Every structure is written in structure tokens, then in C-alpha cells.
Amino acid sequence: MNVDLLIYNIGQLILPRFCSTPLKGDQLGQLLIKENAAFAVKDGLISWLGNSDEIHNFIAIKKIDAKKKVVSPGLVDPHTHLVYGGSREQELALKQAGVPYLEILANGGGILSTVEATRNTTEGKLIEKARKHLETMISFGVTTLEAKSGYGLDRDTELKQLRVVKKLNELYPISIVSTFLGPHAIPLTYRGKEERFLQKMTSLLDDINTEKLAEYVDIFCETGVFTIEQSHKFLLEAKRKGFGLKIHADEIDPLGGAELAADLGATSADHLVAISDEGIKRLSDTNTVAVLLPGTTFYLGKDQYAPARKMIEAGAAVALATDFNPGSCVTENMQLIMSLAALKLKMSPEEIWNAVTINSAWAIGQEAESGVLDVGRKADFVIWNIPNYQYLPYHFGVNHAASVYCGGKLIWNESRILSD
Ligand code: IZC
Ligand code: ZN
């Protein structure tokens, strides 16, 4: 049989399971590991998957000996603020002095300082900057991700950010799902006129639809930002216009964002550090994915992490993401998030692999395209320099990716570090 690519001698092939819903409860801990595996790729798709001893029938343009390494689906990062101007390293000293994240924002810093920088950065420069971050993400094994706007808070800059995401999607073979996060903060000029600002962001939805600039909307539902009622109003209107829903929910205060996400049939509810027991129960009754962001809790120096065990045991669908952004989690490294999930969320290696592949794909509506390796699926995969799948969360803070493939094509290789 003629194929484009044959990869064989795989020590452990990680095979997350595709079900009709995101993996919940005990399912999250079930991960199929195939030893001595091999698979073939034709026209960018997996055309055969089996045992390394069965490959003699294949004539391949290219053969890769995986040398007993671990191979997994490409990682999926379902929550990033990829596109922004400037940076906020000066905030680190404020944080060290104990100034809370929301206080920095209330004083016109935080998100609002990135808004200023993003407004003052051209589309071309934003693309250039985002490319660096994106290539770092890819180097850590990501082949599908989500990217939000939210650093414009005005028509032109929000659309500029979304056009950058669209352009990045065209420039790279990986998949980027775009989310409109216009209600990310209230500009100083709209203090006391929050409803008017929300109205203004809502009025952008038609243009975003027409230009096909985003599939999802999101809102920062938090004390001092947007209330539950405002979030409900915005999300409902976006749903009516055909957008998928996401929400920054219950990160600092338990406002009931998880309950709202469940009520509205949101695709995901993200953060959930302060989720109530009722919120956990409501999420468990739905397919709304709980996207946990332990990198953010770590970076904000908090002791209380999202109650991942409680959520998994209650039957909620849990996924993991970086939350890459210039304020509360400045890392592109999904592997670091996997270690934090083990150390801080007490998730098992099996749960973690499922949470960064198939469940994170569900969190951005990519479950039919990403997060699973199977015949007929796109050949997005990573070859890892690790002896077994449990090793990755254990050895933290470094890059274990040997090479990253998207649609059967090599898009990143560790040897580039030496040659560039
Ligand atoms: O720039 O601080 N939490 N939005 C909500 C963020 C963090 C991003 C930022
Ligand atoms: Zn976020």
C-alpha cells in the first residue's frame, strides 16, 4: 500500500477516546496506550493504525523510526489571549508588593494598559509579535488553539485583533479558533456607563459575523468587571446570532458564572477557581467543558486552585489550557500546565492527557478535527522525548517535544534549536 508517511517503532502511542460527549468523571481517567505501535498518513490524514510488526506491506515516501518514543495527538490549547501589544513586566513588582490583580485593573492598569498598547500597535506589528508567541506554543506541542480578542474595547481595535487571528490561521497549517472578547474590561471613559459599553460591544457582533472573524464570544464575568446579569444579556444575544459561548467564570469570586454557562449551553466555562457546589453540579449535568487554568493561579501567587478533583468526581468534563496572556499567566507552555495539573490539581497522568487533547478540543468545538489519533483523522501529532506517558507531568519546566507534525507535515523539530 502506498502512503505518504509511515511512523513506526512507537514505544507508547497515546490514544484519547472520542465519545459522543466530552469525557466526564471516570472516563477522564481512561486512556488507551498502544505499545509498539505504528501508523500511516496519506493526504494529511491517518490512513492506517496498527502494530509495528505489520508495516512490511507499506510503501512510504517517508518513514520515521520513532525509536520507542511516546507519540500523542497534537496538544490543544483552548484558552489563550494570543494577540496583544506591549507587555506588563512592571506589574510584577506591584504583585510582589501584594497589590491584587483586580485592584491593578481598577486603577487603570492591567488589561487596560494592554488595551492602550494594542490600540497603538499596527496590524502588521501585532502579527509579527503574535507569530513569536504562536511558534513558541507550537514548539511545546500545540497544533490547535483558541485565541481571543479583548484588548481593543473599541470597534477598530477589536476587529484589528480578530483580523490578526484570521491572518495567523492562514499563515500556519495549525488551526486557530477565534473568540470575540469585547467585554473583557470597562474602559476608563465608560466608568459608570457600563451598559452603554456592553451595548457597543454587542453591536459589533453583526460585523464580526459578516466578516467571519469569530466563532465564539466570551465575557469576563467578575467583581468590578461584568455582572452575572450583564453576562447573561450579552451571551444570550450572541447565542441568538449564532455564536458559540464561552465565559471567564468564577475566577476570583463565585458569582455564578458556571451556573450561567450551564443554563445557556455554553461550550465552555473557564477558570472556576471559586466555583460553588451548585455550579459544579450544574456543569456536571451538561456538556459544558470546565476549562481549568492552573498556570494563572500559580502566576497570581494564590494558594487555592480550582477544585478539579471535586469536579471530576461530580462528573464534569474537565479540560486544561494555558490562559497565555500578558498579565495573569505569561507562558505559552502547555507542558508546564500539565505539570501544574498534576501537582496542584491532583490530576492523574491519564486525566491530564485527555484534558489537553480530546476534552480541550471539545472546549473549542474541534472534537471532530483535533485531539484524537484514528483512521480518517487529521495527522496532527507530537513525538516526545520521554520514556512513557507518565513522565511528562513529572519532569517539569522543560520542553519534551522532539518534533511536531500537522496534517502529516513536520512543522517543528528540536534540532532547529541548534541550527537557528
Ligand atoms: O490581560 O490580564 N484575566 N483577562 C482576565 C486576563 C486575565 C488577561 C489580562
Ligand atoms: Zn483568559
Side-chain angles (χ1 to χ4, degrees):
M1 211 182 307
N2 289 300
V3 296
D4 299 330
L5 174 70
L6 187 65
I7 162 156
Y8 64 100
N9 200 18
I10 300 169
Q12 291 186 337
L13 180 60
I14 299 177
L15 296 169
R17 203 153 56 93
F18 175 73
C19 297
S20 55
T21 64
L23 301 179
K24 294 168 144 199
D26 289 347
Q27 291 178 327
L28 194 67
Q30 292 161 14
L31 184 66
L32 182 62
I33 304 294
K34 190 170 167 54
E35 311 232 317
N36 194 31
F39 62 86
V41 179
K42 196 162 170 55
D43 300 326
L45 304 179
I46 296 177
S47 59
W48 171 82
L49 197 154
N51 202 286
S52 254
D53 311 330
E54 305 164 329
I55 61 171
H56 39 267
N57 289 335
F58 288 95
I59 302 163
I61 297 171
K62 191 171 167 51
K63 283 189 182 178
I64 298 168
D65 179 351
K67 300 199 172 108
K68 293 276 167 226
K69 291 179 184 181
V70 174
V71 174
S72 78
L75 305 183
V76 180
D77 188 346
H79 183 137
T80 86
H81 303 251
L82 175 65
V83 181
Y84 60 86
S87 57
R88 308 210 312 248
E89 56 276 28
Q90 73 286 351
E91 278 178 23
L92 196 55
L94 293 175
K95 274 187 220 157
Q96 285 169 327
V99 187
Y101 175 84
L102 288 178
E103 195 176 314
I104 297 174
L105 177 61
N107 292 332
I111 296 172
L112 293 175
S113 80
T114 301
V115 167
E116 189 65 26
T118 307
R119 286 178 179 174
N120 292 327
T121 307
T122 63
E123 193 168 317
K125 284 268 182 285
L126 283 177
I127 292 173
E128 222 174 276
K129 183 169 159 57
R131 286 186 77 146
K132 291 210 182 83
H133 298 307
L134 183 60
E135 288 179 16
T136 307
M137 288 176 183
I138 293 169
S139 76
F140 282 104
V142 168
T143 55
T144 300
L145 66 134
E146 183 252 20
K148 302 177 194 295
S149 70
Y151 293 123
L153 313 184
D154 64 21
R155 182 193 153 81
D156 290 353
T157 318
E158 284 296 320
L159 296 183
K160 177 171 75 174
Q161 263 192 288
L162 293 174
R163 287 190 191 111
V164 170
V165 175
K166 194 170 185 176
K167 184 75 188 167
L168 293 171
N169 226 340
E170 289 161 10
L171 287 171
Y172 292 83
I174 62 162
S175 307
I176 311 177
V177 172
S178 183
T179 298
F180 172 58
L181 174 60
H184 187 196
I186 295 149
L188 292 177
T189 48
Y190 279 87
R191 290 269 160 97
K193 295 179 275 189
E194 288 82 8
E195 292 296 333
R196 256 182 63 196
F197 176 68
L198 198 61
Q199 192 54 45
K200 197 172 154 203
M201 291 299 107
T202 308
S203 74
L204 300 184
L205 292 174
D206 287 333
D207 290 342
I208 292 167
N209 244 344
T210 311
E211 268 194 67
K212 293 199 170 21
L213 285 175
E215 292 160 56
Y216 288 92
V217 301
D218 193 347
I219 183 163
F220 191 11
C221 178
E222 189 57 72
T223 305
V225 195
F226 294 97
T227 64
I228 273 288
E229 291 74 24
Q230 289 164 338
S231 302
H232 184 242
K233 195 169 160 191
F234 172 73
L235 291 172
L236 198 62
E237 185 61 13
K239 184 176 179 173
R240 223 177 46 77
K241 292 185 185 292
F243 289 90
L245 308 183
K246 297 182 151 284
I247 177 168
H248 281 66
D250 304 328
E251 178 186 357
I252 296 161
D253 292 322
L255 300 188
E259 291 88 327
L260 178 62
D263 276 352
L264 293 176
T267 306
S268 76
D270 302 33
H271 283 292
L272 307 174
V273 175
I275 189 172
S276 67
D277 288 346
E278 175 64 14
I280 294 177
K281 191 184 166 307
R282 299 281 290 285
L283 279 188
S284 311
D285 292 339
T286 69
N287 290 333
T288 299
V289 180
V291 176
L292 308 186
L293 311 165
T296 309
T297 311
F298 174 76
Y299 198 79
L300 292 177
K302 302 255 173 99
D303 298 326
Q304 193 203 332
Y305 282 75
R309 286 257 56 89
K310 227 168 147 180
M311 286 190 228
I312 294 168
E313 274 145 35
V318 166
L320 293 161
T322 57
D323 192 20
F324 170 69
N325 76 73
S328 64
C329 193
V330 198
T331 185
E332 297 92 339
N333 184 350
M334 269 298 268
Q335 295 173 47
L336 177 60
I337 303 307
M338 293 168 76
S339 291
L340 291 173
L343 297 168
K344 302 293 188 181
L345 303 184
K346 314 288 184 213
M347 288 170 67
S348 70
E350 293 81 5
E351 290 170 339
I352 291 168
W353 279 107
N354 279 324
V356 297
T357 53
I358 184 59
N359 268 21
S360 46
W362 275 102
I364 50 175
Q366 294 296 295
E367 66 278 2
E369 281 79 28
S370 305
V372 165
L373 293 173
D374 205 354
V375 172
R377 286 275 190 157
K378 193 164 166 237
D380 292 353
F381 62 94
V382 182
I383 306 179
W384 301 98
N385 284 321
I386 53 175
N388 56 65
Y389 73 94
Q390 295 99 329
Y391 189 92
L392 198 142
Y394 152 77
H395 184 159
F396 84 105
V398 295
N399 190 1
H400 296 289
S403 42
V404 181
Y405 288 78
C406 188
K409 297 229 159 45
L410 180 69
I411 57 166
W412 184 84
N413 189 300
E414 61 180 334
S415 63
R416 287 236 313 250
I417 296 169
L418 301 174
S419 57
D420 278 358

